[in-house]
Amino acid sequence: MRPASTILGPESPLRSVLDGFIAREQQLLMAEVTETAMASREHLLIEAGTGTGKTFAYLVPALLGGRRTIVSTGTRALQDQLFHRDLPTLAKAIGQPVTIALLKGRSNYLCLERLATAATRDGAARYRHELAAISRWSTATDTGDRREVVDVADDSPVWPWVTSTLDNCLGQKCPQYERCFVTKARRNAQAARIVVVNHHLLLADLAMKEAGFDQFLPGADAFIVDEAHQLPDIAGQFLGTTIGTVALATLLDEATIELTALGGPAAGQVVAKVATALARLRDAASHDLGRYDFGPLEAKLGPPLATLTEAVGEAIAVVDPLSEQSVTLENFGLRLYERSVELARFADVDSVEGLRWIDVGRRGLRLNLTPLDTSAAMAAMIAAREASWVLTSATLAVGEDFSHFASRLGLGDARTVKLESPYPLAERSLLYLPSGLPAPAAADYPDAVMAATTPLLGLTQGGAFFLFTSYRALNRAADWLAKHKSAVRGRRLLTQGAMPRDALLRTFRAEGNAVLLATGTFWEGVDVPGSALSLVVIDKLPFASPGDPLLQARIEQLRRLGENPFTTHQLPQAVLALKQGVGRLLRDARDYGVVALCDPRLSSKAYGKAFLDALAPMPVASSLNTVRQFYRAMEAKSASA
């Protein structure tokens, strides 16, 4: 086996297939430690700063080692990049063919059975052009991956009609099973040496294996997890229970016609009873949007929840004798039974392990039972695989300390490596701390932030991200700019929610000097290289909301264990989140820019040093004149380059 140094070193064959490829010390070191970990089946945590080239650093050992490897990513976009671009490029350069497979969740694939009936749905005439485009594509596609369809928007209402979920998939009893694109993708994955998945699919598979169900991912010698900082929170979702009123209502809607046809009006009335109980439960939780601890609401929500549980039980009794007449109703009955078990688990206070909480959304309500500590379960699932696990991200450590992240996954004994960014951060970035701001809790703080930072738009020709820690702050900023239109200096103003996320990013990049107001979804996984982004404004230190029931429960748990919740959980989480937000600025070695961090607690509180240390070696300034000089120097260098 050739070592990674022959592929990523100064004489790399990648120079012939990638314009501008430059050997990087950090990338080579990461590849070497990954190579060692995979060979010895060790666990490895790697924080790789922006520009390390971590994707190639973990893919090269995966290709060279000859081991069956599962690569998990945080987003579908990165999955597609790995499968369609990075892996083929590397395999060609190395001259080592390899079987690779891409596997996504079932909702990403066309369901031929559901496509056949989509045109009969209520409202289908309104979307006849989209359905026609999907129908034409269905006869030509090999994969059924909906990303191939460019004529239908990703958020079009027709996609749920022509794709399946776990609730409505008929499995092996589907008439189209042998032609099923999900089945084909899973068979390809079983035969491939490298399989590219996302974190949700990885954890779903781990949880299924733990419960003794059939696997849909192959066994592997190595697991590589990119954007690994997301994994602990996603693990909580898969190791807990979620019951959504919208999902249950959709399940009912899709079975009602056939159920009524076979069972008569009485069967339809039972389904209607469940739908009524769902509506009453949602109405009883007449809170503002957000998360709430279920405990204080149990007296109010308990009775409608009990009514819903009873109605689901009655529906099961009606559906069961009809299930032999219809595959659809057999599946419907199975899903109803699963929901009844989940409802019973949620309602059984004595057996609850974790936090019961509700999530109130615009369309419905979700009941959640979430374990507060997933470390033991994750450690057991990881140990059961008898494989090497390599987890990497730009944000895993607080300073040099990986313990916060490692402990959440039960990986306290894993080897840790921290690689600094090869970019000249000290020369090409600046951290600006505006002075004179009120306390973040002050009523006028949002307006003061905008007044202090919008003058920066007059110092740079590039675009700006204004990142907020809450929608309330974002809306206040939008209101302030509506009253001070000249503050954006003729630039296009974009606001999260005005259009789909991807469209918003494309517009921002194309404008070249736009101003974008955004919240959490833009704090990570967003790349805008070049001068289109030269300023990032962050309104507050990203501490989790103190009203979040999950945070409150974790705090109480840590106190019971004799730990300090702030230093062991809240502070590390906020530091890692801030590093993600700041990481939006420099995405290329030629990039430059300023991060304006507005929170006065950076200077007034002792813990402020933890945040500043995490952003080193970015120099710190508190003068607008210093910022002005920085931009002038950088723009002059760019002009002469």
Side-chain angles (χ1 to χ4, degrees), residues 344-353 356:
R345 182 186 179 203
F346 186 89
D348 188 357
V349 181
D350 294 333
S351 66
V352 166
E353 295 182 2
R356 294 187 302 167

Side-chain angles (χ1 to χ4, degrees), residues 207-547:
M208 286 174 65
K209 290 177 183 175
E210 190 73 8
F213 293 103
D214 291 339
Q215 64 186 35
F216 50 83
L217 294 182
D221 303 304
F223 292 82
I224 298 173
V225 182
D226 199 352
E227 300 300 325
H229 63 277
Q230 301 174 0
L231 204 61
D233 288 335
I234 298 175
Q237 299 174 25
F238 281 93
L239 295 172
T241 297
T242 297
I243 309 157
T245 60
V246 173
L248 186 49
T250 301
L251 180 64
L252 295 173
D253 288 343
E254 296 198 344
T256 297
I257 294 176
E258 190 162 354
L259 184 62
T260 304
L262 292 176
Q269 290 171 4
V270 171
V271 171
K273 186 175 181 179
V274 178
T276 300
L278 278 173
R280 288 178 177 170
L281 177 62
R282 173 63 183 88
D283 292 342
S286 55
H287 280 79
D288 293 333
L289 305 186
R291 295 176 168 184
Y292 301 92
D293 187 350
F294 184 79
L297 300 172
E298 186 160 13
K300 183 179 181 181
L301 297 183
L305 181 59
T307 300
L308 173 62
T309 304
E310 181 182 349
V312 170
E314 292 179 16
I316 292 171
V318 170
V319 173
D320 189 54
L322 301 174
S323 61
E324 294 182 1
Q325 303 178 48
S326 164
V327 174
T328 299
L329 292 187
E330 181 182 3
N331 182 69
F332 176 58
L334 175 62
R335 301 310 171 200
L336 277 181
Y337 175 74
E338 291 172 348
R339 297 298 89 79
S340 70
V341 171
E342 292 167 351
L343 286 166
R345 182 186 179 203
F346 186 89
D348 188 357
V349 181
D350 294 333
S351 66
V352 166
E353 295 182 2
L355 175 70
R356 294 187 302 167
W357 56 284
I358 65 171
D359 189 358
V360 180
R362 288 183 174 84
R363 297 177 56 212
L365 173 75
R366 286 187 296 176
L367 306 170
N368 301 276
L369 173 57
T370 303
L372 297 178
D373 185 359
T374 60
S375 59
M378 284 300 301
M381 289 191 289
I382 289 172
R385 301 306 166 270
E386 298 183 353
S388 169
W389 284 73
V390 177
L391 296 91
T392 184
S393 169
T395 52
L396 295 183
V398 178
E400 302 296 324
D401 185 7
F402 286 77
S403 61
H404 174 70
F405 173 80
S407 64
R408 296 186 70 193
L409 293 178
L411 288 171
D413 59 347
R415 181 185 177 188
T416 62
V417 175
K418 183 176 179 180
L419 302 170
E420 301 295 344
S421 170
Y423 294 164
L425 299 179
E427 291 79 33
R428 302 189 71 85
S429 65
L430 184 67
L431 181 62
Y432 173 57
L433 308 181
S435 58
L437 290 172
D444 62 341
Y445 182 76
D447 294 349
V449 165
M450 299 306 293
T453 56
T454 49
L456 296 170
L457 296 173
L459 307 181
T460 175
Q461 299 174 19
F465 273 7
F466 282 70
L467 300 179
F468 301 94
T469 52
S470 69
Y471 280 100
R472 180 175 298 177
L474 183 152
N475 292 332
R476 281 285 297 270
D479 291 343
W480 189 91
L481 287 173
K483 298 173 184 176
H484 303 82
K485 292 184 174 62
S486 61
V488 297
R489 298 178 180 268
R491 301 159 183 255
R492 182 167 181 182
L493 178 62
L494 302 169
T495 305
Q496 180 181 331
M499 61 180 79
R501 182 176 183 267
D502 289 346
L504 205 59
L505 275 174
R506 286 195 299 271
T507 303
F508 183 87
R509 294 187 186 105
E511 287 290 323
N513 68 345
V515 174
L516 172 66
L517 309 182
T519 58
T521 187
F522 283 84
W523 280 65
E524 61 178 277
V526 174
D527 288 317
V528 185
S531 62
L533 180 60
S534 62
L535 171 64
V536 173
V537 176
I538 295 176
D539 70 327
K540 291 182 185 179
L541 296 175
F543 287 107
S545 169

Side-chain angles (χ1 to χ4, degrees), residues 550-570:
L550 279 174
L551 175 62
Q552 293 174 348
R554 286 196 176 101
I555 287 174
E556 290 304 316
Q557 180 194 39
L558 290 169
R559 284 176 178 159
R560 288 194 298 270
L561 294 173
E563 299 183 29
N564 183 320
F566 182 79
T567 57
T568 61
H569 184 75
Q570 292 168 275

